[in-house]
């Protein structure tokens, strides 16, 4: 602790207390990461929510479970289905305090219940490998510890908070994204606990994203006897796929990725159905209209083919996160807190999306990579640095203490929200 330059005794005490919590944080992380909570494992996601509800007793806060509507999905056979999702959990405290912070962390992971990657393995003294240890169960542990530390301080009356634990971030927050505008309007800033980049730096601007599913339907016939009467759905999908892939490179910052295709069966039958899924990333919100327009033209063109019908589902779920002036100020605050801990933190743009996009779309400045330091996320090589449980909890605790101590938070002023400086 001797190399820390902190502003006052309270900050030093808080950081020292967090440093005594490393072992407890590791136990909490093990408990959470070894509950499978793949996005569609409703029982597992709900078990994580129940565990967090138990943990919330340490924070002495209010609690609400929120049922989430099922997700509409086009299955591999082109049929529209509904997939149930786990519940969201909302914790909140002191909604009357002058500064209000919206915390968010997702409970789901990309690893389904039948995935072989289910347990934590210690790789080195400071490094573990495990499902969701970085993305983002380590971040949940960090967030709780930072809030626990803040609640021990005499500054608590200056700052109220609300946490949203959502069940569906890894599939694009299809249901929970609808909660963001309402929650965002009662807060001044957002803090999200996605992992930092592997080198410890944080995410700044983020691209927007859209997920789409396309189904082509034709006519099945015997490939030998009546080939001329068949209408080949795979050929129509191939035309569609080439056409959208050709949009790549036409505008800077837009990428289109056909990522899944399924169709047909026996090779002596002209295939009558084909399903394809693709993702689009955009840098500016105006690019959404350009993409939608181009795709609509391609769909209309394929629909003129005799005997072929093409349906498009899905859309843009996340707007690009552009750093507003208030967001840039918030980045500076986080950098100065990092500096006090000996961390030199850069904010780097990324093509990836997260709920930071949803907060920004709701007008809320936010930092979305305050979780642990780790890497290889979304793979069975996912790892994290155990020591970052302490350093990142200290970082968040400092952010909260400095917000609560600040004499001037006018840069966080939001339209329609009276902010009283403390
Ligand atoms: Zn994540």
């Amino acid at each position: 602790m001797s190399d820390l330059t902190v502003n006052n005794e309270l900050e030093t005490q808080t950081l020292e207390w967090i440093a005594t919590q490393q072992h407890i944080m590791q136990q909490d992380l093990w408990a959470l990461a070894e509950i499978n909570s793949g996005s569609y494992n409703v029982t597992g996601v709900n078990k994580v929510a129940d565990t967090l509800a138990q943990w919330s007793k340490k924070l002495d806060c209010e609690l609400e479970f929120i049922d989430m509507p099922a997700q509409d999905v086009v299955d591999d056979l082109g049929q529209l289905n509904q997939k149930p999702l786990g519940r969201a959990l909302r914790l909140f405290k002191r909604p009357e305090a002058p500064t209000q912070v919206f915390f968010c962390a997702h409970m789901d992971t990309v690893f389904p219940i039948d995935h072989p990657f289910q347990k934590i393995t210690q790789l080195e003294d400071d490094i573990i490998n495990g499902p969701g240890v970085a993305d983002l169960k380590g971040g949940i542990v960090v967030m709780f510890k930072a809030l626990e530390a803040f609640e021990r301080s005499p500054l608590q009356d200056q700052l109220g908070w609300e946490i949203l634990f959502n069940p569906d971030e890894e599939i694009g927050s299809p249901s929970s994204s609808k909660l963001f505008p309402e929650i965002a309007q009662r807060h001044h800033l957002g803090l999200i606990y996605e992992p930092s980049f592997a080198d410890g730096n944080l995410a700044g601007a983020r691209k927007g994203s859209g997920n789409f599913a396309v189904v082509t339907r034709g006519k099945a016939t015997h490939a030998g006897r009546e080939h001329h009467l068949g209408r080949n759905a795979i050929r129509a999908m191939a035309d569609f796929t080439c056409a959208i892939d050709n949009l790549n490179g036409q505008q800077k910052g837009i990428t289109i990725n056909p990522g899944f295709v399924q169709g047909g069966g026996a090779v002596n039958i002209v295939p009558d159905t084909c399903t394809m899924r693709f993702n689009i990333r955009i840098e500016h919100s105006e690019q959404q209209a350009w993409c939608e327009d181009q795709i609509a033209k391609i769909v209309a063109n394929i629909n003129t083919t005799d005997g072929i019908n093409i349906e498009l589902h899905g859309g843009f779920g996340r707007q690009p996160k552009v750093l507003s002036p208030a967001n840039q100020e918030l980045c500076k605050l986080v950098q100065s807190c990092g500096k006090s801990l000996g961390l030199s933190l850069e904010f780097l743009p990324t093509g990836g999306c997260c709920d930071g996009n949803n907060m920004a779309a709701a007008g809320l400045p936010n930092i979305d990579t305050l979780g642990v330091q780790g890497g290889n996320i979304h793979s069975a090589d996912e790892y994290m640095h155990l020591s970052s449980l302490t350093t990142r909890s200290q970082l968040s605790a400092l952010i909260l203490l400095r917000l609560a101590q600040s004499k001037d938070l006018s840069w966080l002023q939001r339209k329609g929200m009276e902010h009283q400086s403390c």
Side-chain angles (χ1 to χ4, degrees), residues 327-370:
N327 213 138
Q328 290 171 23
E329 285 299 310
L330 185 57
C331 293
K332 284 185 203 155
L333 171 72
V334 172
Q335 278 173 321
S336 78
C337 294
K339 207 169 159 213
S340 297
L341 295 167
L343 302 170
S344 133
L345 300 173
E346 295 295 321
F347 284 91
L348 307 172
T350 171
C353 300
C354 76
D355 288 322
N357 295 68
N358 292 326
M359 280 195 187
L364 202 62
N366 67 85
I367 307 292
D368 55 32
T369 32
L370 288 167

Side-chain angles (χ1 to χ4, degrees), residues 74-76 78 211-217 236-237 240-241 244 260-262 273-278 295 299 302 309-314:
V74 177
D75 70 18
D76 297 351
N211 288 324
F212 297 82
V214 196
V215 185
T216 48
R217 295 184 206 284
M237 188 61 83
F240 178 82
T241 306
I244 60 160
F260 170 91
V261 66
Q262 176 161 314
T273 310
C274 186
T275 307
M276 195 272 278
R277 298 197 183 94
F278 63 102
I295 291 166
V299 166
I302 304 253
N309 177 267
I310 181 165
E311 289 163 20
L312 180 70
H313 302 268

Side-chain angles (χ1 to χ4, degrees), residues 19 22 34 62-63 65 82 99 104 129 192 201 203 248 255 270 279 301 309 333-334 352 359 366 371 399 406 412 416:
Q22 175 70 24
E34 292 193 349
E62 307 288 317
L63 170 155
F65 286 101
Q82 289 212 312
T99 300
C104 182
N129 158 249
I192 301 181
N201 284 316
N248 279 307
T255 55
V270 175
N279 175 264
N301 188 32
N309 177 267
L333 171 72
V334 172
M359 280 195 187
N366 67 85
I399 296 168
S406 177
L412 283 173

Side-chain angles (χ1 to χ4, degrees), residues 94 96-100 157-160 188 418-422:
R94 288 187 301 278
E96 71 293 344
T99 300
Q100 293 293 320
D157 291 351
Q158 298 302 320
L159 189 142
H188 292 96
E418 283 302 303
H419 184 265
Q420 309 144 20
S421 294
C422 27

